[in-house]
Amino acid sequence: MSRQDERALALLTAAHAHLSRAAAAELPIGERDRRLLTLYQDLFGPRLTALATCPECSESLELEFDAEVFGAALEHESGAEPAEAQLSFSHDGYNILFRLPNSRDVLALGHGRPDDENRLRLLERVVLRASCGEQEVPAADLPATLIRALEERLSLVDPHADIRLDLDCSACRAQWQAPFDVVSFLWSEVDAWALRLLRDVHRLARAYGWREADILALSSPRRQCYLELLDE
Ligand SMILES: [Zn+2]
């Protein structure tokens, strides 16, 4: 989990020269993922291709969909929710003041800890104040039903933090929902793209004896031209 979030920050700060690492770390997770999706579209176009395995018949499926399926939230302007904004929530006599989780919160979670422990740690970070009547209540003492309600609320105000895709299998017609992880998706695309680029550099360097820096300095269409000439 933590490695993923490091990657998300690396991608965002590489893509936005004006965005400091600290500022990127404070973006709410949904806003972070929204920006990563926009980055994906800038780099690779509006179509996403993903692989999935049918849970019923184990068929491998290649899925294509528009980045637009992530809906209206993609359209609303960046920074709609200030990272430090305080939100309030009332449930069963409890009043909660909380903020949206950001990368810093997720990075602070331990590796390989039990999920319940991580949930509690995250809760302790994002709950700014909890009270029941006049009494202040530590996050660790909040009842389970309240925590569930708060988690639902979090996914409503920061919808991209938990993107789910409706999938169906062309072989057996099974239907299911799968989580879509923007970070690992974008990272694997960037990896694949970097690998293709390295292969191209390798072929051109071997054929023409050019230096890597000179090959990378060529525009992509021009590089493509030379590669096609090699195939003739
Ligand atoms: Zn199937």
Side-chain angles (χ1 to χ4, degrees):
M1 173 131 85
S2 177
R3 191 157 159 238
Q4 285 292 88
D5 290 279
E6 292 282 5
R7 288 176 164 183
L9 293 183
L11 287 168
L12 275 178
T13 47
H16 303 283
H18 59 279
L19 186 70
S20 71
R21 202 190 133 82
E26 276 170 17
L27 292 172
I29 300 296
E31 171 63 14
R32 178 199 78 182
D33 286 356
R34 195 194 64 79
R35 291 193 187 199
L36 286 173
L37 269 177
T38 307
L39 172 62
Y40 177 89
Q41 288 174 284
D42 291 347
L43 288 173
F44 304 109
R47 302 291 286 170
L48 306 183
T49 311
L51 294 174
T53 305
C54 172
E56 294 294 326
C57 70
S58 307
E59 177 86 356
S60 286
L61 304 166
E62 200 183 270
L63 310 152
E64 263 219 349
F65 44 90
D66 279 326
E68 297 294 314
V69 297
F70 300 113
L74 255 179
E75 284 153 29
H76 73 221
E77 276 309 297
S78 55
E81 288 285 355
E84 286 302 315
Q86 296 191 355
L87 303 163
S88 61
F89 174 64
S90 297
H91 185 85
D92 264 358
Y94 285 86
N95 292 306
I96 313 275
L97 204 61
F98 68 101
R99 61 176 178 76
L100 297 176
N102 57 36
S103 298
R104 216 187 280 289
D105 299 318
V106 182
L107 286 169
L109 301 181
H111 297 271
R113 284 170 197 270
D115 263 358
D116 282 347
E117 199 179 318
N118 269 335
R119 281 174 72 193
L120 180 62
R121 281 167 67 101
L122 186 61
L123 207 68
E124 283 176 326
R125 293 179 64 96
V126 301
V127 170
L128 305 170
R129 187 167 180 279
S131 57
C132 185
E134 296 294 293
Q135 185 97 39
E136 267 209 50
V137 184
D141 294 342
L142 294 172
T145 52
L146 183 78
I147 291 173
R148 266 199 301 281
L150 179 61
E151 285 172 343
E152 269 171 37
R153 181 63 191 270
L154 280 174
S155 71
L156 275 181
V157 282
D158 196 24
H160 280 91
D162 186 21
I163 297 174
R164 289 182 173 271
L165 296 175
D166 291 313
L167 303 180
D168 57 313
C169 174
S170 50
C172 75
R173 306 268 151 228
Q175 297 188 324
W176 74 101
Q177 267 204 338
F180 178 72
D181 183 345
V182 180
V183 182
S184 61
F185 180 74
L186 182 56
W187 192 264
S188 63
E189 287 294 306
V190 169
D191 263 357
W193 173 73
L195 193 65
R196 277 198 303 279
L197 188 61
L198 278 181
R199 285 216 180 94
D200 293 350
V201 169
H202 171 73
R203 286 187 63 205
L204 292 173
R206 205 162 59 169
Y208 298 106
W210 295 337
R211 293 180 320 132
E212 181 188 54
D214 295 333
I215 297 171
L216 289 173
L218 293 170
S219 71
S220 170
R222 212 171 160 79
R223 207 160 40 227
Q224 218 46 52
C225 242
Y226 282 115
L227 286 165
E228 278 161 25
L229 285 171
L230 278 184
D231 289 333
E232 278 181 2

